[in-house]
Amino acid sequence: MSSRKYSIEQASKDVESLLGDEGLNCLINNAGINIFGTLETVEAEQMMTNYETNAVSPLMITKAFLPLLRKAAKQGTSTGIHRTAVVNVSSLLGSVELNWGPGAEFKTYPYKASKAALNMLTRCVAVDLTPEGILCMAVHPGWVQTDMRGPNALLSKEESINGVLSMIGSLSEKNNEGEDSFIPRYAIKIH
């Protein structure tokens, strides 16, 4: 058994021991690495590393925590964060539709492709879990001053976190529907 698989399984057991029959109301998958690679420089290993971290791992975590999410969902009647939700921290850079203009200038094939995969997986999980009352959404935290994005990014960590938490607090069943569910929602509007 790989250490990653063991740690995910152990984490779900640890959370279950704390929550018991209450279940888990909100699972936030915030996985993200960016190994740069352009058309001329990208290597298969870079693609696979980004894909495993940014797309596969959030799916495996959701799968491991699904029994706890289902427990929480059985305790409510409407769909929303007050009942149960899976929130995947993604990026607008993973949008196929928005990959033009300024969005296309950021040349990193591994990151963009892995976040596009996460966006599709988010939508697939939403389709499967909506009948059970489990909301599933992708959120775009903005361009944040982190180790990955650097100090010149537009948002401080605090601004982004406050925006994401505000958005998560307002999620409802209307966020699970429609064509724009494929695109991560902005956590913060930049003026």
Side-chain angles (χ1 to χ4, degrees):
M1 179 182 319
S2 73
S3 61
R4 179 180 48 83
K5 184 175 179 185
Y6 174 77
S7 65
I8 292 171
E9 290 175 359
Q10 188 59 51
S12 68
K13 289 177 185 175
D14 291 346
V15 171
E16 183 175 26
S17 71
L18 294 171
L19 299 178
D21 290 335
E22 296 295 315
L24 181 64
N25 292 97
C26 184
L27 173 64
I28 301 173
N29 288 311
N30 185 20
I33 62 168
N34 180 17
I35 300 172
F36 286 95
T38 66
L39 179 59
E40 292 83 14
T41 65
V42 70
E43 300 290 335
E45 185 177 331
Q46 294 170 316
M47 294 295 295
M48 297 309 291
T49 299
N50 269 260
Y51 186 73
E52 181 177 18
T53 299
N54 295 350
V56 176
S57 291
L59 180 63
M60 295 299 102
I61 291 168
T62 302
K63 179 182 171 184
F65 281 85
L66 191 53
L68 293 173
L69 295 164
R70 284 180 168 145
K71 281 183 185 180
K74 288 180 182 175
Q75 297 180 29
T77 55
S78 62
T79 301
I81 190 63
H82 58 280
R83 186 172 179 191
T84 190
V86 175
V87 179
N88 290 326
V89 179
S90 187
S91 174
L92 288 179
L93 292 172
S95 170
V96 174
E97 180 181 346
L98 299 177
N99 191 29
W100 58 273
E105 292 172 13
F106 189 71
K107 304 287 184 192
T108 177
Y109 281 49
Y111 184 79
K112 285 182 166 185
S114 65
K115 289 299 185 173
L118 178 61
N119 294 344
M120 177 54 83
L121 291 169
T122 301
R123 188 65 187 135
C124 291
V125 171
V127 167
D128 288 345
L129 296 183
T130 295
E132 297 183 52
I134 300 173
L135 179 86
C136 189
M137 280 298 304
V139 63
H140 172 70
W143 186 24
V144 186
Q145 297 164 1
T146 63
D147 291 342
M148 186 166 69
R149 298 295 186 180
N152 295 327
L154 297 176
L155 298 172
S156 70
K157 294 172 195 168
E158 295 78 15
E159 290 172 313
S160 178
I161 290 167
N162 288 334
V164 169
L165 291 176
S166 175
M167 172 182 271
I168 289 171
S170 68
L171 292 175
S172 69
E173 60 271 354
K174 69 180 167 65
N175 300 112
N176 233 18
E177 302 167 354
E179 279 186 38
D180 66 343
S181 295
F182 290 100
I183 302 171
R185 303 208 187 295
Y186 272 109
I188 294 185
K189 298 279 185 196
I190 304 294
H191 303 296

